Amino acid sequence: MVDKLTDNTSDEIDLRELFLTIWSGRYLIALAVAASIALAAFVLHSSERKYTVSYTFQPVADDNNTPNFSGLGGLASLAGVSLPSAASGDFQTFKILLQSEETAEQLMASPDIVRQIFEDEWSDKTNSFKQQEASPIGRSVQFFKKLLTGSEKADYTPPNAARLAEWLSENFSAAEDRDTGMLKLTSETPNPQLIIDVMTATTAITDTILKDRYLSSARQSVEFYQNKISAARSRESREALAQLIAQEQQKLMLASNGSFFVAQPLTRPSVSLQPTSPKSSLVLALAIVLGSFIGSAIVLIRKALQND
């Protein structure tokens, strides 16, 4: 019992001494906090302001009444045609193809967009892209990287489809909402207009690619179904084939009228009214916490050295 009271008293004394030690160094802690806030303010003033851009798309058609194609898949594959997929499958393909090299290759045909994306590499004098000279810091990093890993610096590659596809993947994200089924493109960027132009161009290119793929095989598919419906014996097969033909003809009309085929904009692109990065309140709050921690640590270390 006495030992427990002694331990509790010792703990209380230690906590009290700790508080008094920190309180005695309150001016030093305040100075550390002020220095951290000043550093945070410098970072905020020198940081690039970024805005959030969002663009929402919805499927052009949502087929919830897909007929039962059981038993027809084998025949279709033997004939070299494929059964039509649901709109959700086309939508998933649209999402994957959006940032692919195939889409980027066609986007390369828009020189204004490509020059804006790789503006640091564009030279008005030579009217071409060229490698920029590395800064002293960049050369130092490359030197130590070679020293530590033995890897040589890769040769310069002018902007191409592969580099553009990588840029697309890094600069905006595409996510499908599970509840609504909508596809939302989002980006945090210092140049909102460029991202809007890129999103508009890539979605139009992707939609056209899927439309062209469909048109190249759709008429063959309709002809195959029409031949099979006359030879079908069961009522279920004839009904399924009839629905197939109706569905394919509807998609053919949709693909031929020049409008959106797989995905269409639900809203216009939107840009946040205020910068969303850097987050000033969060940076300043972290600066206060970090400054308090550093100041308290200095005070406690100084006290320990004095005791020794």
Side-chain angles (χ1 to χ4, degrees):
M1 185 66 178
V2 175
D3 292 340
K4 290 183 179 179
L5 290 175
T6 303
D7 291 341
N8 290 337
T9 304
S10 177
D11 290 341
E12 290 178 0
I13 293 174
D14 290 341
L15 290 175
R16 186 169 181 273
E17 288 183 354
L18 177 63
F19 174 77
L20 292 175
T21 300
I22 293 176
W23 179 251
S24 65
R26 59 188 179 278
Y27 297 113
L28 180 59
I29 295 174
L31 181 62
V33 171
S36 296
I37 292 176
L39 180 60
F42 173 77
V43 170
L44 289 174
H45 279 282
S46 59
S47 296
E48 194 173 42
R49 296 295 187 268
K50 294 183 178 181
Y51 297 80
T52 297
V53 178
S54 60
Y55 202 0
T56 304
F57 288 78
Q58 65 178 353
V60 172
D62 190 7
D63 187 5
N64 295 320
N65 298 314
T66 305
N68 182 14
F69 302 143
S70 177
L72 299 178
L75 289 174
S77 61
L78 289 175
V81 299
S82 59
L83 294 176
S85 60
S88 59
D90 293 336
F91 208 47
Q92 287 293 329
T93 305
F94 180 91
K95 174 185 172 183
I96 295 172
L97 192 62
L98 189 61
Q99 296 165 315
S100 66
E101 284 193 32
E102 186 175 357
T103 298
E105 185 176 1
Q106 295 195 29
L107 185 61
M108 288 292 296
S110 302
D112 291 340
I113 292 179
V114 176
R115 288 175 190 173
Q116 289 185 68
I117 291 174
F118 301 102
E119 61 178 353
D120 293 339
E121 302 175 29
W122 177 255
S123 173
D124 291 327
K125 294 181 179 180
T126 61
N127 200 32
S128 62
F129 292 100
K130 67 175 185 180
Q131 185 176 14
Q132 297 297 309
E133 294 184 2
S135 64
I137 296 178
R139 289 194 294 268
S140 299
V141 171
Q142 183 60 36
F143 171 77
F144 284 108
K145 182 179 178 181
K146 180 181 178 180
L147 184 65
L148 295 173
T149 64
S151 59
E152 295 285 347
K153 184 179 180 181
D155 295 334
Y156 173 70
T157 302
N160 54 19
R163 288 190 59 191
L164 185 54
E166 183 179 0
W167 186 93
L168 294 176
S169 299
E170 292 175 351
N171 284 271
F172 73 87
S173 61
E176 187 175 357
D177 192 303
R178 293 183 178 179
D179 296 328
T180 63
M182 306 298 179
L183 181 67
K184 189 171 185 178
L185 310 183
T186 56
S187 174
E188 200 170 51
T189 173
N191 191 345
Q193 188 56 52
L194 173 60
I195 288 295
I196 290 174
D197 293 341
V198 169
M199 287 180 176
T200 303
T202 52
T203 50
I205 290 171
T206 304
D207 198 75
T208 301
I209 291 174
L210 292 174
K211 182 190 298 184
D212 293 341
R213 287 182 181 179
Y214 174 75
L215 288 174
S216 65
S217 61
R219 291 181 175 84
Q220 182 183 0
S221 299
V222 172
E223 183 179 352
F224 169 77
Y225 302 143
Q226 289 174 340
N227 292 334
K228 287 299 176 183
I229 196 170
S230 59
R233 296 182 179 181
S234 67
R235 178 181 177 183
E236 290 78 7
S237 297
R238 288 194 297 270
E239 289 179 350
L241 286 166
Q243 291 185 51
L244 271 172
I245 294 172
Q247 182 180 345
E248 289 292 278
Q249 288 177 339
Q250 182 181 7
K251 291 185 69 174
L252 271 172
M253 290 177 60
L254 185 64
S256 301
N257 64 13
S259 62
F260 298 102
F261 179 62
V262 175
Q264 61 184 358
L266 178 66
T267 61
R268 290 182 298 179
S270 63
V271 182
S272 60
L273 297 178
Q274 300 295 329
T276 54
S277 178
K279 300 184 184 300
S280 302
S281 57
L282 178 60
V283 172
L284 292 174
L286 289 175
I288 293 173
V289 172
L290 182 61
S292 301
F293 176 79
I294 293 175
S296 300
I298 293 174
V299 170
L300 293 174
I301 292 173
R302 186 181 64 177
K303 180 67 174 177
L305 293 175
Q306 289 175 351
N307 292 336
D308 291 341

